[in-house]
Amino acid sequence: VKGKVVSLKEFGVFVEIEEGVEGLIHISDLSWGYVKHPREVVKVGDIVEAKVLEIDPERRRISLGLKQIFPDPWENIEEKYPVGSTVRVRVNKVSTRGALVEVEEGVEGRIPLEELSWKRVTRVNDVVRRNQLVEAKVLAIDRESRQLTLSLRALRPNPWEEAQTRWQVGDIVEGKIQRLMNFGAFVELAPEIEALLPLSEIAWEPVKHPSQVFKKGQTVSLKIIEFKPEEQRIVVSRKALLPDPWEIIKTRYPLGSIHEGKVVRLVDFGAFVELEEGWDGLVHISEIAEERISSPQEVLKEGDVVKVKVIKLDDAERKIGLSIKQALREEEEKARKEQTQEGKITLGDVIGEKLATILNNLKK
């Protein structure tokens, strides 16, 4: 039937078929494609040709369809857009999950976020924009949801295939800092290949945020510590290329050595003593004094300078165990030995002088 558009509503269009007889074209029956509002298709006063879908005499309602005049573009979809074929599409909408595109009127597709590029994409607008025309590869056809699944990256060589033969764990690589995140940084090693530099692998000392060390675009040398090209995952480390301060600390504070340190924190189970900036050792409560104490505060306070003996170096935990009482014991023992040695020398000197006097008198 032919009729005149007399009214536009959000849910559809009222068409006057003849005087006193109107039909409704629901918004979903205006086009095979997505329609946000009827005004995108028709305007008041337009003469349209529509197909009668349903007549309800009791409710005096006629349902019409405009799109039914034209063939359903999904009838031969597999022939027009077979899986594996390349199609030119227009980007209709971008979101955090990817992009929605129009293949033709009535045929829509989606490009998932992971199919936009071989590298990690955080902002879809960095790859595609609304109304942009792009070529994509058909990955799947879903008749039920009337949607194609498409890919941009499938039209380009997979860089991870080359990466399999290019790198391995232990290799030293150069990369450019792309993004700084709370948990670390993403580093570009090659076009469309990024590696993760975890926060814990930036430096031996604690780093709260990668921006303390890096700037976006900075080139850095790194060591590959995890390499899984089949999962498109590379983990790198900066600290692996830096001297391990723990090895230096072990050389500077060997087992059995005695040092001076400052009490920086008291806890129920002992006291933490700073040996140098960034390195504390724990004096367990049982190693504070010879006598039994119930709390470190009985004999220590923060800021006290004390002598401590290194009694434990834990490689796994990178922790130092200290003892105040053993250091004091050794210091006292050392002092006793020195006093005894001084006493022996003094007595010998005195006897020697007396013997010399007697011998001189005999000679006379």
Side-chain angles (χ1 to χ4, degrees), residues 74 106 108 110 141-149:
W74 274 82
E108 294 182 338
R110 69 182 185 93
I141 300 172
D142 187 343
R143 276 188 165 275
E144 189 175 340
S145 63
R146 295 173 68 91
Q147 193 174 69
L148 303 181
T149 301

Side-chain angles (χ1 to χ4, degrees), residues 21-143:
V21 179
E22 291 184 356
L24 171 66
I25 304 176
H26 191 269
I27 189 170
S28 62
D29 289 313
L30 283 171
S31 171
W32 289 110
Y34 172 73
V35 178
K36 188 175 182 180
H37 193 278
R39 61 172 170 265
E40 296 174 7
V41 182
V42 295
K43 63 181 184 293
V44 173
D46 283 353
I47 303 298
V48 297
E49 187 175 1
K51 185 174 182 179
V52 178
L53 303 180
E54 185 183 357
I55 299 176
D56 187 344
E58 292 184 4
R59 300 173 67 184
R60 300 178 62 81
R61 178 177 295 176
I62 301 174
S63 295
L64 304 173
L66 188 62
K67 73 179 184 182
Q68 285 79 4
I69 296 296
F70 307 97
D72 183 352
W74 274 82
E75 282 183 5
N76 57 344
I77 196 73
E78 288 87 0
E79 294 177 16
K80 291 191 294 183
Y81 308 112
V83 172
S85 62
T86 300
V87 295
R88 191 168 180 81
V89 300
R90 181 185 298 277
V91 178
N92 279 342
K93 183 181 179 182
V94 296
S95 70
T96 56
R97 294 181 294 178
L100 293 177
V101 301
E102 182 183 66
V103 183
E104 65 168 87
E105 186 177 351
V107 179
E108 294 182 338
R110 69 182 185 93
I111 305 175
L113 187 67
E114 65 273 12
E115 291 297 334
L116 288 170
S117 173
W118 287 108
K119 69 179 181 180
R120 181 186 175 93
V121 176
T122 53
R123 295 180 70 250
V124 177
N125 278 326
D126 290 341
V127 183
V128 293
R129 294 182 180 274
R130 190 170 179 271
N131 291 323
Q132 182 180 351
L133 292 173
V134 295
E135 288 195 337
K137 186 174 183 178
V138 180
L139 298 183
I141 300 172
D142 187 343
R143 276 188 165 275

Side-chain angles (χ1 to χ4, degrees), residues 25-301:
I25 304 176
H26 191 269
I27 189 170
S28 62
D29 289 313
L30 283 171
S31 171
W32 289 110
Y34 172 73
V35 178
K36 188 175 182 180
H37 193 278
R39 61 172 170 265
E40 296 174 7
V41 182
V42 295
K43 63 181 184 293
V44 173
D46 283 353
I47 303 298
V48 297
E49 187 175 1
K51 185 174 182 179
V52 178
L53 303 180
E54 185 183 357
I55 299 176
D56 187 344
E58 292 184 4
R59 300 173 67 184
R60 300 178 62 81
R61 178 177 295 176
I62 301 174
S63 295
L64 304 173
L66 188 62
K67 73 179 184 182
Q68 285 79 4
I69 296 296
F70 307 97
D72 183 352
W74 274 82
E75 282 183 5
N76 57 344
I77 196 73
E78 288 87 0
E79 294 177 16
K80 291 191 294 183
Y81 308 112
V83 172
S85 62
T86 300
V87 295
R88 191 168 180 81
V89 300
R90 181 185 298 277
V91 178
N92 279 342
K93 183 181 179 182
V94 296
S95 70
T96 56
R97 294 181 294 178
L100 293 177
V101 301
E102 182 183 66
V103 183
E104 65 168 87
E105 186 177 351
V107 179
E108 294 182 338
R110 69 182 185 93
I111 305 175
L113 187 67
E114 65 273 12
E115 291 297 334
L116 288 170
S117 173
W118 287 108
K119 69 179 181 180
R120 181 186 175 93
V121 176
T122 53
R123 295 180 70 250
V124 177
N125 278 326
D126 290 341
V127 183
V128 293
R129 294 182 180 274
R130 190 170 179 271
N131 291 323
Q132 182 180 351
L133 292 173
V134 295
E135 288 195 337
K137 186 174 183 178
V138 180
L139 298 183
I141 300 172
D142 187 343
R143 276 188 165 275
E144 189 175 340
S145 63
R146 295 173 68 91
Q147 193 174 69
L148 303 181
T149 301
L150 306 162
S151 172
L152 296 185
R153 73 176 189 176
L155 294 178
R156 297 191 292 274
N158 184 352
W160 289 93
E161 292 177 358
E162 180 189 349
Q164 285 183 315
T165 58
R166 183 175 179 181
W167 297 307
Q168 60 184 356
V169 171
D171 283 354
I172 309 300
V173 295
E174 277 203 348
K176 184 178 288 186
I177 302 294
Q178 294 295 307
R179 296 183 303 284
L180 302 175
M181 316 295 285
N182 290 332
F183 53 83
F186 285 99
V187 185
E188 184 181 65
L189 302 184
E192 295 199 282
I193 291 187
E194 290 185 344
L196 171 64
L197 173 58
L199 197 65
S200 60
E201 291 296 331
I202 292 177
W204 289 105
E205 62 274 9
V207 177
K208 291 184 178 179
H209 194 275
S211 59
Q212 295 175 236
V213 181
F214 302 118
K215 291 183 179 179
K216 186 178 178 181
Q218 181 180 344
T219 299
V220 292
S221 292
L222 305 160
K223 185 175 183 178
I224 296 177
I225 59 174
E226 184 181 332
F227 185 54
K228 295 181 178 178
E230 68 281 1
E231 297 179 16
Q232 298 185 13
R233 175 178 172 84
I234 301 177
V235 181
V236 291
S237 172
R238 173 179 174 264
K239 78 176 185 183
L241 299 179
L242 303 174
D244 185 350
W246 176 247
E247 296 302 322
I248 299 172
I249 287 297
K250 287 198 299 181
T251 303
R252 196 174 292 165
Y253 303 99
L255 278 173
S257 59
I258 294 177
H259 308 272
E260 205 170 68
K262 184 170 70 174
V263 177
V264 292
R265 187 156 58 99
L266 297 175
V267 292
D268 292 341
F269 53 85
F272 286 95
V273 175
E274 184 182 63
L275 297 173
E276 61 179 75
E277 187 177 355
W279 288 98
D280 299 344
L282 172 65
V283 182
H284 190 267
I285 190 169
S286 62
E287 292 293 335
I288 291 177
E290 294 287 355
E291 65 274 13
R292 182 181 177 84
I293 59 174
S294 58
S295 170
Q297 285 86 349
E298 292 179 24
V299 292
L300 295 173
K301 65 179 184 297

